[in-house]
Amino acid sequence: MTVTENANLAVSDTGTDTGTRASTRTGAALRLRGLRRSFGSAVALDGLDLDVAPGEFLALLGPSGCGKTTALRVLAGFERPDEGQVLLDGEDIVPVPANRRDTAMVFQSYSLFPHLTAADNVAFGLRMRKVRGAERRARAAELLDLVGLAGYGDRFPHQLSGGQQQRVALARALALRPRLLLLDEPLSALDARVRVTLREEIRRLQLELGITTVFVTHDQEEALSMADRVAVMNGGRLEQCATPTELYECPATDFVAEFIGTMNRVPGRAVDGGGRVEALGVTLPVQEPDGRSGDVTVLLRPEALEVTTDGPARVTGVSFHGPTTRLRIALPDGTDVKADVSTHAAAGLTPGTAVSVRPRQRPVLLAAAPTGGAV
């Protein structure tokens, strides 16, 4: 797709004069119902159902090939589903062409016109709608100020940094006050410091404007730090859609438990009708008892492990993370686990140090079967 095509599609045309709209508005309600999309024998979406509340910021997260990008392209109108509906405020927009949907999209590659200034790029969609020149220029200046680029309107894209170009792309998407904002990994091409700053700015703007937003990313930190809820996808299906805290603390499936953050898998034995489990010498409550007994695999976060000096286990690796340090530890049975301890407590715990590892007393999740090893 060319830069021109991307820019044209980035701001959809509904034929509405933006001058008649309020400066802020409540976002649209979005519902996906039974979305299916295949490419030959490859199934990209397999009956996806998802609700997004008005003004909500939803992140689509998952491994490569999980279907998150296909879902976003269906929302934008770049892909037509084989089956299913996309309901925007109750209206099925699947038959509506991409350039006629009241949506806006920010791309990973910025997609700015190189021959236009920042202000003209922002005003591009307004010019296509034949908004008057003075109003168009005022709106562009307002949006550039909103994204922190006041005074940059006369600069061309090659005179801007990557982060500044992405701010211009965001301002262009917001210029038409869309009901739905779509973000296609807009931060992945930026360096780490700029990514952190810009994700905070995007979230601030989204909250201020109240626009319903769907954000595709492969970066867990971005998803968990920005979104109201995160939809974790796998194999074209929705594994779980919940708040970041709920995803981390109460994952609904083994896949979510091991995909979000870091998870250790250690052998254990379910007792008391599956309500409790014995692991690493400690008896722990099971978060969601399923009646199993006997050998199971216990899922433990690194911060759920206590480490003390002297014992049968051995430190095999040390990784500094500022206030915390991650230890890699080999247990006597050959299982490797990761434990997060305060950096102060980790002083002296060098590779080869003998240690003991015990789980903290908190409910734990069980996997389907013991496999050993740390994830």
Side-chain angles (χ1 to χ4, degrees), residues 301-320:
R301 296 286 187 192
E303 65 272 19
L305 296 177
E306 294 181 335
V307 180
T308 56
T309 55
D310 295 326
R314 295 280 174 178
V315 175
T316 60
V318 179
S319 179
F320 175 74

Side-chain angles (χ1 to χ4, degrees), residues 200-375:
E200 292 173 351
E201 284 299 301
I202 290 174
R203 182 57 166 151
R204 178 186 65 80
L205 289 170
Q206 189 270 335
L207 287 170
E208 181 177 334
L209 300 175
I211 297 176
T212 305
T213 301
V214 179
F215 174 44
V216 162
T217 181
H218 64 276
D219 188 312
Q220 293 184 27
E221 185 178 348
E222 284 182 3
L224 297 177
S225 65
M226 294 176 68
D228 294 310
R229 289 187 303 151
V230 179
V232 180
M233 296 182 63
N234 181 36
R237 291 180 173 272
L238 182 66
E239 291 276 338
Q240 185 177 3
C241 184
T243 66
T245 299
E246 185 178 355
L247 282 177
Y248 192 84
E249 297 291 344
C250 303
T253 67
D254 288 359
F255 177 83
V256 175
E258 298 189 66
F259 184 76
I260 299 295
T262 300
M263 188 70 79
N264 295 300
R265 300 170 66 93
V266 301
R269 183 173 182 81
V271 296
D272 296 338
R276 300 177 69 79
V277 64
E278 298 170 349
L280 302 182
V282 177
T283 301
L284 303 164
V286 175
Q287 185 168 297
E288 296 183 4
D290 57 9
R292 280 184 290 166
S293 61
D295 292 340
V296 293
T297 294
V298 183
L299 304 178
L300 297 167
R301 296 286 187 192
E303 65 272 19
L305 296 177
E306 294 181 335
V307 180
T308 56
T309 55
D310 295 326
R314 295 280 174 178
V315 175
T316 60
V318 179
S319 179
F320 175 74
H321 294 282
T324 63
T325 292
R326 176 160 292 180
L327 305 175
R328 191 174 186 97
I329 299 171
L331 301 180
D333 66 357
T335 302
D336 285 332
V337 297
K338 297 173 183 175
D340 289 345
V341 300
S342 71
T343 295
H344 175 74
L349 296 179
T350 57
T353 303
V355 294
S356 293
V357 179
R358 291 170 62 87
R360 301 180 190 277
Q361 276 294 334
R362 61 179 65 174
V364 296
L365 290 169
L366 303 182
T371 59
V375 178

Side-chain angles (χ1 to χ4, degrees), residues 33-48 70-71 73-75 78-86 92 94-95 101:
R33 288 293 175 265
L35 288 185
R36 298 183 183 276
R37 183 71 171 101
S38 297
F39 300 94
S41 60
V43 178
L45 296 176
D46 190 11
L48 179 63
T70 300
R73 290 178 62 83
V74 168
L75 292 179
F78 302 162
E79 295 284 350
R80 190 180 180 95
D82 301 323
E83 297 178 24
Q85 295 178 306
V86 176
D92 186 6
V94 167
R101 299 185 182 192

